[in-house]
Amino acid sequence: QQQVKQSPQSLIVQKGGISIINCAYENTAFDYFPWYQQFPGKGPALLIAIRPDVSEKKEGRFTISFNKSAKQFSLHIMDSQPGDSATYFCAASKGGSEKLVFGKGTKLTVNP
Amino acid sequence: DAGVIQSPRHEVTEMGQEVTLRCKPISGHNSLFWYRQTMMRGLELLIYFNNNVPIDDSGMPEDRFSAKMPNASFSTLKIQPSEPRDSAVYFCASSQTRGGGGEQFFGPGTRLTVL
């Protein structure tokens, strides 16, 4: 059972454009939603995270939008740069648990 | 801090051989996670420890896989006997337990190839 569904699988964006990656979850007990960024040959690294008490969180060019009623959250990358080219994973965890459930990942390519 | 350290970085072995992957978590972190990453299945949690005790091993695929954490600074993931379908990148991650929602710090991974 895939608890976190991520789309699209791959995304190509021009430099300066907006990249949008979506995730949907099933378990209403989830209360922590991070996004991880992974470059080739490296381990994933935390990019930004949100809890369901807010609908949006912004850090620089990266924004998480959260829709609790729809059980969806998304990552927006504004002014996308070639250096943003990486694989992005959404994830979720339940209250009190350290265990993260990851989406399948989105490979983002930003063309110069 | 040097971050999470994994060894070896690459391992090539033949089917049936025993494979041992090693991990040193970040000092002071009390949760440790082993993940497996493949193109088909993505990033899967195999097992995680809290204060050296296994908390959830539901992701361990079968009895051929075992993991230990004898102390706060060292963990191993063993596959015996190995099979070609075990070929993947294995990541170790650590975090400070916060009752949920803590940042996990990943190591560089071990790329395992079983021939």
Side-chain angles (χ1 to χ4, degrees):
Chain A
Q1 181 185 12
Q2 187 181 354
Q3 297 192 56
V4 179
K5 295 183 180 179
Q6 183 172 347
S7 63
Q9 189 173 355
S10 63
L11 180 62
I12 300 175
V13 174
Q14 292 299 118
K15 179 182 177 181
I18 302 174
S19 303
I20 302 175
I21 304 170
N22 300 299
C23 280
Y25 63 97
E26 301 165 0
N27 193 333
T28 55
F30 287 151
D31 70 349
Y32 174 69
F33 303 90
W35 285 88
Y36 279 75
Q37 179 188 54
Q38 183 180 29
F39 292 105
K42 305 291 187 182
L46 179 66
L47 183 63
I48 186 173
I50 197 169
R51 293 192 182 273
D53 53 342
V54 295
S55 61
E56 186 175 283
K57 183 175 182 179
K58 183 176 181 179
E59 291 184 2
R61 296 184 294 108
F62 300 90
T63 299
I64 299 180
S65 296
F66 183 80
N67 186 329
K68 187 174 181 179
S69 60
K71 293 187 288 185
Q72 295 176 345
F73 58 110
S74 60
L75 175 69
H76 296 236
I77 306 175
M78 310 299 288
D79 187 26
S80 299
Q81 299 296 312
D84 297 331
S85 297
T87 300
Y88 293 81
F89 294 91
C90 63
S93 68
K94 299 178 190 178
S97 173
E98 308 299 319
K99 180 178 177 179
L100 285 174
V101 178
F102 282 87
K104 288 278 182 80
T106 297
K107 184 176 181 180
L108 171 66
T109 302
V110 182
N111 289 328
Chain B
D1 200 317
V4 175
I5 298 172
Q6 292 186 247
S7 65
R9 293 294 311 277
H10 302 273
E11 177 82 20
V12 180
T13 191
E14 293 189 346
M15 182 174 63
Q17 296 299 304
E18 178 180 296
V19 175
T20 299
L21 310 181
R22 297 173 175 80
C23 175
K24 176 179 170 56
I26 292 173
S27 177
H29 284 186
N30 59 351
S31 290
L32 183 139
F33 308 82
W34 281 102
Y35 290 90
R36 178 172 67 178
Q37 185 174 38
T38 61
M39 289 294 294
M40 288 296 294
R41 301 178 67 88
L43 197 59
E44 302 175 278
L45 177 66
L46 300 177
I47 185 172
Y48 87 90
F49 295 84
N50 184 251
N51 293 323
N52 312 337
V53 176
I55 302 300
D56 186 336
D57 66 354
S58 59
M60 295 287 262
E62 48 197 274
D63 291 345
R64 297 184 298 106
F65 286 69
S66 63
K68 293 182 179 179
M69 192 165 186
N71 57 62
S73 59
F74 184 66
S75 177
T76 59
L77 178 67
K78 185 177 294 187
I79 308 173
Q80 166 63 18
S82 58
E83 297 182 3
R85 60 190 169 125
D86 301 330
S87 297
V89 180
Y90 291 81
F91 288 102
C92 175
S94 70
S95 72
Q96 286 183 312
T97 303
R98 297 178 183 275
E103 177 178 358
Q104 293 185 17
F105 293 81
F106 283 73
T110 295
R111 180 173 295 277
L112 173 64
T113 302
V114 183
L115 303 174

